[in-house]
Amino acid sequence: MSIQYEVEQLADSYGVADSFPKDFGYGEEEEADIEDSPSPSDSKPRILLMGLRRSGKSSIQKVVFHKMSPNETLFLESTNKIYKDDISSSSFVNFQIWDFPGQVDFLDPTFDYEMIFRGTGALIFVIDAQDDYVEALSRLHLTVSRAYRVNPEINFEVFIHKVDGLSDDHKIETQRDIHQRANDDLADASLEKLHLSFYLTSIYDHSIFEAFSKVVQKLIPQLPTLENLLNIFISNSGIEKAFLFDVVSKIYIATDSSPVDMQSYELCCDMIDVVIDVSCIYGLKEDGSGSAYDKESMAIIKLNNTTVLYLKEVTKFLALVCILREESFERKGLIDYNFHCFRKAIHEVFEVGVTTQRATASQAVGSPCSKAVALNGTPRNTV
């Protein structure tokens, strides 16, 4: 595999140094503007991580959002209280994760489950696939049925976790069994309208990142627009596949409408790691200042099977990673021009989102009794 790493002055070549709103710009001044803007953390979508003790909830959170090595999670202590983590690494991946202890009791009068579920965008229930999951299925049914009655708009996700220790046949059989039992329990309780999504996950491969990508995408109201923009971009550029990545977490917040191949996704994730690692060595100033990923970041990796990986910076949080054939890459000027149009369109999507968010936040601050709308579109009363 040959690697070609290039840096390009996007601002000079396109004249778009000021193309993004201040909220998504670079530098200390912009960050100060964000801090001063009236956007209370309660307005962010909330993702709940629930499941029995030792099912792997905290490990998932640490690996995906805090760059912890999977092997290091073996030394994590069991969660004994609700742990709230404010994820603000990206303009879109911008939510709160609440990690619940496995022994949480819904019948405890001190547990205000109505308040918690009312402001929730997604509920992830983690089941240990290597353990007896009868008790986990019982807790899953109790949790989702209680949450659904409080807030029917919640996205219910089931992570069948720790599947790295199972054979392929055992994985499929376990998923089928859990899927059947969980839906039978809902049917018995006359909750057929409650939809559960199931994912096979492990922290030792990219499956956990892909599963979290699917969960986060459901909380992005602009997702159809982003997918449409990506479809237009690749169809006019001779590109086979494109992902819009959150650089920090390697969650892809959008992709084109063609099916996602796990191997392609892994290649793109590895490319982001290569770009950041090389930039940390060669891209920083002599005194160590600067950023490993900024508005000048761009990279090309040519594989030995005539495939080209092409990464371009979109915002300081997002990167567009494309997979295309070497012969298609000969029209690099056309691709770059189309990318400029795509980047400008993404800017407009951001700008609308920022304006809407600020208007909602101002309304919430100015009128305590008014209704606010979370980023996942769920109406709820502000506190």
Side-chain angles (χ1 to χ4, degrees), residues 16 18-22 24 91-92 222 225-226 229 244 314-315 318 339-357:
V16 289
D18 299 323
S19 69
F20 281 90
K22 280 191 172 183
F24 305 98
S91 53
F92 274 117
Q222 301 95 334
T225 303
L226 297 176
L229 289 173
L244 192 59
V314 179
T315 76
L318 300 178
F339 170 78
H340 170 52
C341 298
F342 171 80
R343 191 174 186 266
K344 189 175 181 180
I346 291 290
H347 150 67
E348 294 174 0
V349 173
F350 281 172
E351 199 167 44
V352 171
V354 171
T355 304
T356 304
Q357 185 177 358

Side-chain angles (χ1 to χ4, degrees), residues 9 23 26 63 76-77 84 125 128 163 177 193 206 211 242 247 261 269 272 284 296 301 327 332 349-350 363 380:
Q9 296 285 349
D23 307 67
Y26 302 88
V63 168
L76 287 176
E77 295 183 1
K84 301 178 183 179
F125 195 93
D128 186 349
V163 297
D177 188 38
K193 293 183 179 180
H206 290 82
V247 177
D261 176 48
C269 288
I272 292 175
L284 302 181
E296 298 178 349
I301 295 180
E327 54 268 24
K332 182 174 179 293
V349 173
F350 281 172
Q363 182 184 10
R380 54 192 178 83

Side-chain angles (χ1 to χ4, degrees), residues 35 118 167 265 270 299 305 344:
E35 293 175 359
R118 192 175 296 118
S167 65
Y265 173 64
D270 292 342
N305 61 353
K344 189 175 181 180

Side-chain angles (χ1 to χ4, degrees), residues 62 197 215 223 234 269-270 283 341 364-365:
K62 295 295 185 183
S197 299
V215 172
L223 181 63
I234 68 169
C269 288
D270 292 342
C341 298
V365 172

Side-chain angles (χ1 to χ4, degrees), residues 42 44-46 48 98 112-123 146-154 371-374 376-383:
D42 288 340
K44 298 177 182 178
R46 183 185 304 153
L48 307 185
W98 290 20
D112 189 359
Y113 63 87
E114 288 200 9
M115 180 276 295
I116 292 172
F117 292 144
R118 192 175 296 118
T120 295
L123 190 157
R146 188 69 62 92
Y148 182 77
R149 291 187 174 95
V150 175
N151 182 5
E153 302 299 322
I154 294 178
K371 286 189 176 182
V373 180
N376 63 338
T378 304
R380 54 192 178 83
N381 293 326
T382 57
V383 179

Side-chain angles (χ1 to χ4, degrees), residues 9-43:
Q9 296 285 349
L10 288 178
D12 294 341
S13 59
Y14 293 136
V16 289
D18 299 323
S19 69
F20 281 90
K22 280 191 172 183
D23 307 67
F24 305 98
Y26 302 88
E28 297 178 356
E29 182 178 349
E30 288 82 352
E31 292 175 2
D33 291 341
I34 296 176
E35 293 175 359
D36 296 337
S37 61
S39 56
S41 60
D42 288 340
S43 67

